[in-house]
Amino acid sequence: MITETPGKALISAITHRTAVIGVVGLGYVGLSNAVAFAEAGFRVIGIDIESERVAKINRGESHLEHVPGEAVAEQVRAQRLSAATDFDVVSTLDCVLVCVPTPVRRDTVDPEPDLSHVRAAAQAIAPRLKPGSLVVLESTTFAGTTEDVLRPLLEASGLVAGRDFLLGYAPERIDPGNRQFALESIPRLVSGHGPDCQEAVRALYSQVFESVRLVSSIRAAEVSKLFENTFRWVNIGLVNELKMMCDSMGLDVWEVISAASTKPFGFLPFFPGPGVGGHCIPVDPYYLAWNARQVGMEARFVSLAGRINSSMPGYVVQRTAEALLAHDKELTGARLLVAGVAYKRDVDDIRESPSLEIMRLLGQEGATVDYHDPHVPQLPENAVGPDAVKSKTLSTRLAAEYDAVLILVDHSDIDWEQLVGGAPLVIDTRNVTERLPRLDFQVVRG
Ligand SMILES: NC(=O)c1ccc[n+]([C@@H]2O[C@H](COP(=O)([O-])OP(=O)(O)OC[C@H]3O[C@@H](n4cnc5c(N)ncnc54)[C@H](O)[C@@H]3O)[C@@H](O)[C@H]2O)c1
């Protein structure tokens, strides 16, 4: 047990960049942070249970499109970055950033937080935790996770948070595929378990991030992150509902949004789509809803937006069937090309992607469905059907082989003119065709 304030020595090591940083979970969040701290001059050791990922990083390669392989290679070569599957390295770490997944279980009445990865990571860290070190949870999660779930698991080591080790929370805000905001330029929220922990977390993140905001309690920081993503979830639900209303009224929702966006205050544009995917937006609001249930409340906006957003894949299928019928074609037996299977533009991530659900639904209706996505060369087994499926190679003749093309993701590096050229029918859920100069095909805004 250490007697003097644990934070002082650590803050000195952090500001001199001699502190060794561990990153537990080397996915979208963890690998990005590991590279950022290494680039800032820290020695960084990543830990992941996936041995292939670890081996790749140690070879100087990246498993993620948005983290350049060259950036990983440079840090590995400089011996600032390495990775391990064995948690024994934790005993050498001054700071441990926990970046493991926080999914929801969907086999319950309401989606329920699944903290199994956080718990497993904490149980592996605890027996190896170095006195005086700092543990920061970065995963998005419900209020109370850091102090009521993570802390007792770490304190099973015999060390006490705030006295023998430091504990903090720093929700991640990275937006893979967004070229406008580099990781370091996104302001960071941080908080800690008492003043010493707060100062240590703030000192650590200030080494890498241009702007760091200290939030007065970990719980407030946990809810701030949930609110950010719930705000998107609810507004996407609202605009998806507006889309369906406009379709029924014979109005173009894109024109309506564009017109409303001329208001210089009090309005923020959101855009409709075929549904909501990814590991964050369709998941995090249910963590907030769980918090609400614990205090006897219902997060009504969350469940309403959930109903609307999850109905969108079915709506796209229905619009496709109607458009085909107008072309004297049945959905059953139709040949369809889906453009974009990632969950959003310019990423290679297919988690919870609405495109996959749309492909499954179309297949159930008896359509034959292929796809093109430059970011996703192959869909693994069971993503849509039992077999793995390959992305179709783009050519000027590709679209002519199909009864319709469904634009589901507006990747910026697709040659859209080439892709839709020759298509008899285009179902455009992203308003991509608006930007194309020649329209010699029929477009239905799906
Ligand atoms: N992906 C994003 O854009 C994003 C943005 C902001 C916040 N977040 C949040 O960050 C957290 C991580 O998300 P992600 O997208 O990086 O997940 P991910 O699935 O890409 O990566 C998680 C990594 O953790 C590893 N892992 C799982 N259990 C582990 C354990 N017990 N010990 C060590 N490693 C373990 C996995 O093998 C994987 O490599 C989540 O809470 C997520 O909500 C994600």
Side-chain angles (χ1 to χ4, degrees):
M1 191 186 301
I2 48 176
T3 45
E4 69 169 27
T5 317
K8 277 206 176 126
L10 181 66
I11 290 175
S12 167
I14 287 171
T15 50
H16 289 94
R17 310 213 173 170
T18 53
V20 181
I21 316 268
V23 177
V24 177
L26 293 167
Y28 286 83
V29 166
L31 185 58
S32 311
N33 275 285
V35 170
F37 276 96
E39 284 175 344
F42 288 96
R43 168 96 181 87
V44 178
I45 304 176
I47 306 171
D48 202 292
I49 49 175
E50 293 267 345
S51 53
E52 254 179 56
R53 276 182 187 187
V54 165
K56 239 182 161 174
I57 292 164
N58 285 330
R59 285 201 302 271
E61 296 165 18
S62 170
H63 60 276
L64 298 169
E65 202 179 41
H66 81 278
V67 180
E70 188 39 47
V72 175
E74 198 180 321
Q75 297 312 315
V76 170
R77 268 198 307 272
Q79 299 191 339
R80 278 191 295 267
L81 177 64
S82 62
T85 49
D86 190 338
F87 275 79
D88 278 352
V89 293
V90 169
S91 62
T92 67
L93 301 175
D94 300 300
C95 304
V96 186
L97 315 184
V98 180
C99 309
V100 295
T102 45
V104 283
R105 292 178 48 200
R106 297 204 189 260
D107 56 351
T108 44
V109 179
D110 295 301
E112 296 269 344
D114 171 3
L115 289 192
S116 56
H117 303 279
V118 173
R119 286 202 171 88
Q123 281 160 348
I125 293 166
R128 298 156 174 106
L129 191 59
K130 183 165 117 178
S133 62
L134 165 69
V135 180
V136 184
L137 181 64
E138 290 210 4
S139 305
T140 309
T141 187
F142 58 79
T145 304
T146 311
E147 290 175 308
D148 300 344
V149 179
L150 183 61
R151 182 168 66 102
L153 290 169
L154 294 175
E155 288 185 342
S157 61
L159 302 176
V160 175
R163 188 188 72 186
D164 307 319
F165 73 97
L166 301 150
L167 178 65
Y169 182 65
E172 178 59 62
R173 287 169 155 172
I174 190 172
D175 186 15
N178 185 335
R179 292 172 193 154
Q180 206 184 338
F181 295 99
L183 182 68
E184 296 81 355
S185 72
I186 305 172
R188 225 32 223 254
L189 300 181
V190 298
S191 193
H193 183 64
D196 292 342
C197 300
Q198 292 186 344
E199 283 318 311
V201 188
R202 174 156 57 186
L204 178 62
Y205 284 83
S206 300
Q207 306 306 309
V208 167
F209 294 90
E210 288 162 20
S211 165
V212 174
R213 163 73 82 89
L214 181 64
V215 181
S216 74
S217 73
I218 286 181
R219 278 178 159 72
E222 287 166 333
V223 173
S224 302
K225 171 69 194 181
L226 294 181
F227 179 54
E228 289 167 20
N229 283 357
T230 302
F231 175 83
R232 276 191 73 70
W233 174 246
V234 168
N235 279 288
I236 293 170
L238 176 63
V239 80
N240 277 335
E241 188 173 63
L242 178 75
K243 160 87 173 68
M244 294 187 279
M245 288 179 206
C246 284
D247 287 345
S248 297
M249 290 189 277
L251 294 174
D252 180 350
V253 70
W254 300 93
E255 187 191 358
V256 169
I257 297 165
S258 168
S261 299
T262 59
K263 187 179 179 189
F265 51 88
F267 183 79
L268 192 58
F270 282 81
F271 303 98
V276 185
H279 178 44
C280 296
I281 308 296
V283 171
D284 303 346
Y286 292 105
Y287 275 69
L288 186 60
W290 189 88
N291 267 142
R293 286 202 295 281
Q294 302 311 298
V295 292
M297 289 184 67
E298 187 198 347
R300 288 169 292 175
F301 280 101
V302 170
S303 44
L304 178 58
R307 284 207 298 280
I308 296 167
N309 291 333
S310 61
S311 74
M312 294 313 288
Y315 182 70
V316 172
V317 171
Q318 178 204 321
R319 296 272 292 171
T320 304
E322 288 164 4
L324 283 166
L325 263 188
H327 276 232
D328 296 326
K329 282 259 168 218
E330 294 278 341
L331 183 53
T332 306
R335 282 179 54 74
L336 304 172
L337 179 69
V338 159
V341 293
Y343 83 84
K344 68 169 182 176
R345 78 194 309 229
D346 298 343
V347 299
D348 58 355
D349 191 346
I350 58 166
R351 288 178 292 180
E352 314 233 0
S353 170
S355 300
L356 304 183
E357 194 183 342
I358 290 170
M359 289 171 77
R360 279 192 291 270
L361 292 171
L362 292 168
Q364 281 164 18
E365 294 297 324
T368 304
V369 190
D370 293 324
Y371 83 94
H372 172 74
D373 192 321
H375 298 265
V376 186
Q378 182 166 315
L379 287 174
E381 287 170 14
N382 299 321
V384 175
D387 300 324
V389 198
K390 283 201 168 121
S391 170
K392 290 280 169 191
T393 308
L394 187 53
S395 78
T396 40
R397 293 183 306 280
L398 182 65
E401 294 173 26
Y402 296 91
D403 296 312
V405 174
L406 281 75
I407 300 177
L408 301 184
V409 186
D410 52 344
H411 288 310
S412 57
D413 52 358
I414 288 184
D415 181 341
W416 288 104
E417 241 186 300
Q418 186 180 39
L419 181 64
V420 297
L425 176 65
V426 177
I427 317 296
D428 182 3
T429 67
R430 299 289 188 181
N431 206 27
V432 166
T433 47
E434 172 72 14
R435 303 192 292 268
L436 302 184
R438 255 182 321 104
L439 294 185
D440 50 8
F441 44 81
Q442 196 210 329
V443 178
V444 172
R445 303 270 152 78

